[in-house]
Amino acid sequence: MSSTEETLRAFEAAVASGLPASWDWQQPVLIAVSGGGDSMALLRAVVAIAPAGFRRRLLVAHAEHDLRATAARDRQFVLAQARRLGLACHCRRLPLAAGTGTGGEGVEGAARQLRYRFFTELAHAHGARHVAVGHTLDDQAETILHRVLRGTGIAGLAGMPRARQLAEGVGLVRPLLGLRRWQPRAYLQAGGHLWMEDESNADSRYARN
């Protein structure tokens, strides 16, 4: 087996092991895809490990905020990638009111709430029991550090769970939570796949940076 094949198989195996016991390939599943490396790798891996006939039950969800000049570009990219994979893709523009929140965390928190509301509505509309997002171990470390800086209690030190209830009948799952951020990109590179880089990751106005 070549090193490329090993990279592909190892990542797909890690994603499979990161799925919760409640995961059901017979039910619709929603994958939140921003177009970035983490979510694109998650989408590609789920498609690769899914049993035959599952694609018609796999939904791609893309939330577009008005925080970046490249938001429309990312939406078009996700739509094109979903089309190539033969998947249904649902996009929604979720503008944020000027001055929402105070500081980067306020804006990001408001954006997160809008996204999760969109994902919940879409999951209920299509009977999806799970919404999968591409948070990695690096995101986990950033979350815990940020909570420490804000003076979190013991509960906050636990970080993000691999799975939690998003809404009644819908679970939020993080299959990549045990992987470092470089691994999804290595997987995409090994498969010859593209992704979009989010320039806001270098913006110091946001607390996560």
Side-chain angles (χ1 to χ4, degrees):
M1 183 186 301
S2 68
S3 59
T4 296
E5 291 174 328
E6 289 180 355
T7 297
L8 295 173
R9 292 190 181 184
F11 185 83
E12 289 163 6
V15 171
S17 66
L19 299 177
S22 58
W23 187 274
D24 184 357
W25 291 109
Q26 300 302 313
Q27 300 293 327
V29 170
L30 192 155
I31 308 293
V33 181
S34 67
D38 301 333
S39 61
M40 284 303 304
L42 173 61
L43 176 63
R44 290 278 182 178
V46 169
V47 169
I49 65 178
F54 174 72
R55 288 194 186 191
R56 61 186 176 83
R57 292 188 289 273
L58 181 60
L59 307 171
V60 175
H62 176 77
E64 179 183 346
H65 297 298
D66 54 350
L67 300 176
R68 297 181 293 110
T70 56
R73 175 207 67 179
D74 293 348
R75 168 170 42 84
Q76 292 299 328
F77 173 76
V78 173
L79 282 168
Q81 295 301 311
R83 190 177 302 115
R84 290 176 183 175
L85 290 169
L87 304 176
C89 184
H90 301 266
C91 300
R92 182 178 295 180
R93 291 183 175 89
L94 301 172
L96 287 146
T100 298
T102 56
E105 176 62 18
V107 172
E108 290 189 303
R112 187 182 310 110
Q113 290 180 17
L114 289 174
R115 287 197 302 274
Y116 284 178
R117 190 179 307 154
F118 165 45
F119 299 154
T120 298
E121 292 173 0
L122 191 59
H124 281 154
H126 293 271
R129 293 179 53 197
H130 294 97
V131 175
V133 295
H135 295 146
T136 65
L137 190 59
D138 293 71
D139 295 312
Q140 180 75 290
E142 291 166 3
T143 296
I144 294 174
L145 177 58
H146 190 238
R147 289 178 180 177
V148 168
L149 294 175
R150 292 173 62 191
T152 187
I154 297 298
L157 296 178
M160 299 180 290
R162 283 185 175 270
R164 70 170 178 85
Q165 185 180 48
L166 181 61
E168 184 176 355
V170 181
L172 182 75
V173 300
R174 300 181 171 96
L176 307 186
L177 202 56
L179 300 173
R180 294 296 306 276
R181 185 169 291 155
W182 64 266
Q183 291 175 280
R185 287 154 179 77
Y187 172 74
L188 291 171
Q189 289 176 333
H193 305 308
L194 301 175
W195 70 91
M196 295 286 105
E197 287 293 354
D198 182 353
E199 71 278 7
S200 70
N201 288 332
D203 193 334
S204 60
R205 291 177 299 172
Y206 296 110
R208 59 184 165 85
N209 296 332

